[in-house]
Amino acid sequence: MKAVLNGRDTGAAAFQGLDRDALIAVHRCMLLSRRLDDKEIQLKGQSQIFFQISGAGHEAVLVAAALSLKPGYDWFFPYYRDRALCLQLGMTPLDMLLAAVGAKDDPNSGGRQMPSHWGSPSLNIVSGSSPTGTQVLHAVGAADAGVIYKRVAQIPERAQRFHPDEVVYVSLGEGATSEGEFWESLNLVCGRQLPVLFLVEDNGYAISVPVEVQTAGGDISRLVRSFPGLHVDSIDGTDFFSSLRAMRDAVAYVRARKGPAFVHARVIRPYSHSLSDDEKLYKPPAEREAEARRDPIPRFAEFLRKNGLATDQDLAALRADVDREIEQATAKALAAPKPPKSTAELWVYSPTVDPASSAFDTPAAPEGKPDTMVAAINRTLKDEMARDPRIVVFGEDVADASKQDALPLVPGKGGVFKLTHGLQRLYGDDRVFNAPLAEASIVGRAIGMAVRKLKPVVEIQFFDYIWPAMMQIRDELSMMRYRSGNTWSCPIVIRVPIGGYLRGGGPYHSQSGESIFAHCPGIRVVYPSTAVDAAGLLRTAIRCDDPVLFLEHKHLYRQTYNKGEYPGKDFMIPFGRSSMRRDGDDVLVVTWGALVQRSLVAAHQAEKDHISVAVLDLRTIVPYDWNAIAAHVRRVNRVVIAHEDQLMCGFGAEIAARIAGELFEHLDAPVRRVGALNAPVAYCPDLEEAILPQTSDVLKAIRETARY
Ligand SMILES: Cc1ncc(C[n+]2csc(CCOP(=O)(O)OP(=O)(O)O)c2C)c(N)n1
């Protein structure tokens, strides 16, 4: 299209292929973004909304990014500053203002998240959170998913789930590049040459911390240039045309599968960090004035004017039109109903698939000789992977051998405890692979894969090393469904060897801590004590629609007392259903994990004192079988709760408090708890024995409770 205005060539060729209408639309989108920030600031001042964070100063590069990408085709993991990107992709001012007022019909989060935490399934904008770096690993996982869909031909309808030239966009601030997850993600995308486009929006400050304090040398693009295959560009992100050129180059590089790309855009932040911050406290006036001169919106207006593309009147009319649109959206948002208080717990878990329901109660079809928990879990994984080609298994050392040419020559590793042995050989390296030694990235990538409907079943090698992944588990995995108003979910399974009694495991190979994860709404916590239970509960974990932490006690892996026949390809045990391992009338022991066997032995010994002891194995911690506990407390009236974890803040405290609160009149003795000392698990076996609860401790508690 060619147009001439005031004697100038305003055709598309002059301005990187954008004609006058397109350029006016660029300006309109930037202005819409800025004026929405202004409107929200006004509404916050009137207490009509409750939080505001702006995208001001970032608009030019964000509109350029959106124009270079395809909504609903590419994948987006935007930062909270990305208002202009989301508008250009197709979100509306109403979509944004509904979030600001916390409306029931807020499409981003149903009133669960602060505004500017974007999400839209139709546009492939995946729900973002507030932690400043977690999203980069989700982007890696989303890019992994595209590769897996491309390569694993058995996945049904995979053609609808990916595009061979799709791009995964992720953005962050220069401050967020200091997070370890950022470096983990760069290592991964460059290692696997994944189609990820990073945009670092560098406004010079992370709240009040300037970039030179944040980043060695003050220039993030300089630091990342040595990553192999990474296309790196550094631009003035307030200049729309530099931005458009850079974003198009980067997108073309990634689409052509030449590798990942990284654009470092220097922008400004004229409205302080958020409405809770005042940059005058730390930014001198001269610096603020210099920034103001770079403001992308007046600069783009000036460009339009200078090139005869718009007159002052045109620009005034455009501004009036933008304000009119915002006023209309504001009126609708303010009138929109808020979520009813009765829905506060909705979407913590899947509202449609209940793993505690009878749908997950399927009969066993035992076969073969009794075998260990290791064999049961390994076989369950094999059978489930055969049933569902969307299942991918990764973690540290889980593959048989990463080197292709080594595989035919060696027996294969298959995990430090051999739980995943043979899976790679059976299902190939696209579905079973080793991950770098970086736990946050194991969980973060799995989340990115799961939002694209793969089913990751990942391994954290030892419970003691789950902590680098804690941010991903507590702030991402557990909250994805809730915070997105049930529009996104990430039902992954994290298998974790846990626990002590190893005689020599020491403080870093013996930890417990299930209560910490029971404290994360949104995650199911499973803790089997027998081979058959492990098979049935793992299958439920894989087939249900919630994230599951599947705790496997290392000491129970290869015992003889908990062996069982493999219960068949379809055997499932619903969550929240305990197992009465031994009945009795005098004392009830509520327990799980390694304390089940110790409690059974203690119960047997208590018989000599004519104390009849029931042992109830909870099997799952979230949900836990309160109905069974309550029924047996009403019958037996004396309770001991025994677990391996430290007594202090162990999960037994929760159960004891509930029994005291709801069943007090049924108790003939105080509820006693047995657990570890409040100390790390020491290496020397004598110390370990003193620290972890032993059969004798359970027996003592049983006797005292019986005698009370
Ligand atoms: C993990 C984490 N730590 C701290 C915060 C609090 N916080 C919110 S934004 C922010 C600064 C982020 O700076 P930057 O990444 O440069 O982005 P900008 O806000 O400047 O666009 C901080 C420290 C957070 N949200 N998440």
Side-chain angles (χ1 to χ4, degrees):
M1 176 174 175
K2 184 130 175 121
V4 176
L5 201 78
N6 300 338
R8 285 169 198 260
D9 177 1
T10 60
F15 305 115
Q16 296 187 28
L18 299 185
D19 63 17
R20 176 178 182 267
D21 289 350
L23 292 165
I24 296 286
V26 165
H27 185 59
R28 191 180 192 286
C29 187
M30 291 205 274
L31 196 60
L32 188 61
S33 180
R34 183 71 61 92
R35 296 296 289 159
L36 267 166
D37 278 325
D38 292 337
K39 174 50 78 178
E40 284 190 359
I41 289 166
Q42 185 192 47
L43 291 171
K44 173 77 171 65
Q46 298 164 348
S47 299
Q48 306 257 34
I49 70 169
F50 320 101
F51 179 75
Q52 209 282 328
I53 193 155
S54 86
H58 294 222
E59 295 94 342
V61 70
L62 290 171
V63 174
L67 284 174
S68 311
L69 291 157
K70 301 186 210 175
Y73 182 104
D74 296 319
W75 285 81
F76 299 89
F77 294 83
Y79 214 35
Y80 48 79
R81 301 272 181 222
D82 286 18
R83 188 190 292 285
L85 173 110
C86 292
L87 286 168
Q88 184 65 47
L89 290 176
M91 285 182 74
T92 66
L94 181 59
D95 292 340
M96 296 184 172
L97 289 165
L98 286 171
V101 300
K104 169 177 154 292
D105 295 327
D106 154 29
N108 303 275
S109 88
R112 265 62 174 171
Q113 278 217 91
M114 289 171 155
S116 298
H117 290 62
W118 325 107
S120 164
S122 63
L123 300 172
N124 283 355
I125 301 174
V126 178
S127 166
S129 60
S130 300
T132 48
T134 44
Q135 73 278 16
V136 292
L137 291 172
H138 307 163
V140 177
D144 277 318
V147 174
I148 291 166
Y149 281 131
K150 189 170 167 203
R151 292 198 191 147
V152 180
Q154 299 89 333
I155 297 177
E157 294 159 19
R158 77 194 166 103
Q160 290 138 47
R161 296 173 192 256
F162 84 106
H163 300 285
D165 65 346
E166 68 189 25
V167 174
V168 179
Y169 162 96
V170 64
S171 58
L172 64 164
E174 85 292 341
T177 66
S178 299
E179 295 284 358
E181 287 167 317
F182 167 73
W183 297 99
E184 289 181 26
S185 74
L186 272 178
N187 186 44
L188 277 161
V189 296
C190 294
R192 287 169 79 90
Q193 292 294 295
L194 292 171
V196 176
L197 164 57
F198 291 84
L199 172 63
V200 172
E201 299 163 41
D202 179 354
N203 57 30
Y205 283 84
I207 308 187
S208 68
V209 182
V211 63
E212 59 272 21
V213 174
Q214 200 69 246
T215 304
D219 180 352
I220 189 66
S221 41
R222 201 176 126 211
L223 297 192
V224 303
R225 279 186 201 277
S226 64
F227 276 91
L230 186 66
H231 166 97
V232 181
D233 207 343
S234 177
I235 53 160
D236 175 0
T238 61
D239 181 311
F240 174 74
F241 290 106
S242 305
S243 300
L244 187 63
R245 197 266 316 139
M247 295 313 298
R248 282 177 172 172
D249 286 354
V251 170
Y253 184 85
V254 179
R255 271 211 210 293
R257 294 299 182 261
K258 292 184 181 160
F262 187 99
V263 176
H264 175 199
R266 287 193 176 76
V267 293
I268 59 163
R269 196 199 62 182
Y271 287 1
S272 297
H273 171 72
S274 72
L275 266 197
S276 318
D277 173 48
D278 178 3
E279 67 174 15
K280 293 195 204 88
L281 296 175
Y282 50 85
K283 212 189 256 187
E287 201 178 324
R288 301 186 68 231
E289 283 153 23
E291 278 196 4
R293 286 193 289 278
R294 291 177 59 215
D295 191 320
I297 294 187
R299 273 170 72 195
F300 200 79
E302 188 51 26
F303 153 80
L304 291 174
R305 236 185 265 116
K306 261 198 178 157
N307 286 279
L309 295 161
T311 62
D312 284 343
Q313 279 156 322
D314 293 337
L315 292 172
L318 189 72
R319 190 181 162 109
D321 183 49
V322 161
D323 285 349
R324 201 164 28 246
E325 184 181 353
I326 292 174
E327 284 310 323
Q328 283 167 1
T330 304
K332 280 191 192 155
L334 290 176
K338 303 282 194 276
K341 287 183 180 172
S342 61
T343 62
E345 286 182 310
L346 191 60
W347 305 321
V348 173
Y349 297 102
S350 166
T352 49
V353 181
D354 178 5
S357 69
S358 57
F360 290 86
D361 190 0
T362 54
E367 56 180 79
K369 288 195 196 122
D371 212 337
T372 61
M373 190 187 271
V374 170
I377 290 172
N378 180 262
R379 200 143 165 214
T380 306
L381 288 171
K382 283 180 178 155
D383 282 350
E384 284 302 292
M385 290 190 80
R387 181 190 64 87
D388 184 353
R390 296 174 313 129
I391 296 176
V392 288
V393 168
F394 62 100
E396 293 154 15
D397 300 287
V398 301
D400 288 323
S402 288
K403 289 187 194 239
Q404 273 303 301
D405 47 357
L407 200 55
L409 310 174
V410 294
K413 179 76 177 166
V416 292
F417 297 103
K418 309 221 82 56
L419 278 286
T420 53
H421 187 255
L423 297 184
Q424 181 197 359
R425 226 180 272 276
L426 271 177
Y427 299 111
D429 330 12
D430 292 321
R431 295 181 63 199
V432 183
F433 49 92
N434 285 326
L437 208 171
E439 287 75 12
S441 78
I442 293 173
V443 176
R445 282 169 85 187
I447 291 170
M449 292 181 197
V451 295
R452 294 192 65 181
K453 308 279 186 232
L454 286 174
K455 184 84 204 191
V457 180
V458 300
E459 180 175 300
I460 295 291
Q461 198 161 72
F462 291 87
F463 184 85
D464 314 67
Y465 310 127
I466 201 167
W467 312 117
M470 195 58 182
M471 172 77 96
Q472 289 289 344
I473 294 173
R474 174 70 173 123
D475 278 0
E476 302 296 332
L477 183 67
S478 74
M479 293 198 205
M480 180 64 82
R481 186 188 291 279
Y482 189 77
R483 73 166 188 233
S484 67
N486 199 35
T487 56
W488 296 101
S489 64
C490 47
I492 72 174
V493 179
I494 309 177
R495 296 182 31 256
V496 196
I498 189 171
Y501 299 106
L502 305 176
R503 293 183 66 80
Y508 300 106
H509 295 84
S510 309
Q511 290 173 24
S512 293
E514 60 274 18
S515 64
I516 296 169
F517 295 89
H519 208 72
C520 302
I523 297 177
R524 308 288 189 179
V525 182
V526 177
Y527 204 153
S529 71
T530 71
V532 172
D533 286 356
L537 290 167
L538 180 57
R539 190 165 282 106
T540 302
I542 291 172
R543 296 192 192 179
C544 85
D545 211 16
D546 294 321
V548 180
L549 188 71
F550 192 84
L551 302 172
E552 303 169 1
H553 200 292
K554 301 190 287 285
H555 186 63
L556 299 182
Y557 268 155
R558 292 186 170 83
Q559 297 296 340
T560 46
Y561 54 71
N562 63 355
K563 279 186 173 180
E565 295 165 28
Y566 184 64
K569 280 184 177 34
D570 284 310
F571 176 59
M572 287 187 284
I573 300 172
F575 291 171
R577 201 165 300 178
S578 59
S579 165
M580 183 53 98
R581 299 290 302 278
R582 179 189 207 278
D583 210 351
D585 301 325
D586 298 328
V587 175
L588 169 71
V589 180
V590 177
T591 185
W592 56 91
L595 261 291
V596 173
Q597 178 65 12
R598 282 160 185 75
S599 300
L600 287 170
V601 174
H604 183 69
Q605 291 170 357
E607 272 176 10
K608 292 182 199 128
D609 301 340
H610 307 290
I611 305 169
S612 162
V613 180
V615 176
L616 189 71
D617 177 359
L618 283 188
R619 305 198 289 192
T620 65
I621 305 300
V622 180
Y624 68 98
D625 192 350
W626 172 248
N627 288 343
I629 295 172
H632 293 297
V633 169
R634 284 195 187 95
R635 180 175 65 85
V636 177
N637 315 119
R638 292 167 195 269
V639 196
V640 170
I641 304 164
H643 56 63
E644 177 178 343
D645 201 358
Q646 291 151 37
L647 203 62
M648 181 159 159
C649 296
F651 194 67
E654 173 69 26
I655 300 172
R658 193 155 172 206
I659 293 172
E662 298 183 33
L663 301 168
F664 184 70
E665 62 275 23
H666 297 283
L667 290 174
D668 290 340
V671 179
R672 274 184 177 68
R673 290 185 292 140
V674 177
L677 301 183
N678 204 19
V681 182
Y683 168 72
C684 171
D686 286 351
L687 290 177
E688 177 184 89
E689 208 174 298
I691 289 160
L692 292 182
Q694 307 297 327
T695 301
S696 55
D697 298 313
V698 184
L699 182 61
K700 184 164 172 273
I702 288 170
R703 283 183 177 141
E704 284 171 4
T705 305
R707 278 196 219 112
Y708 182 86

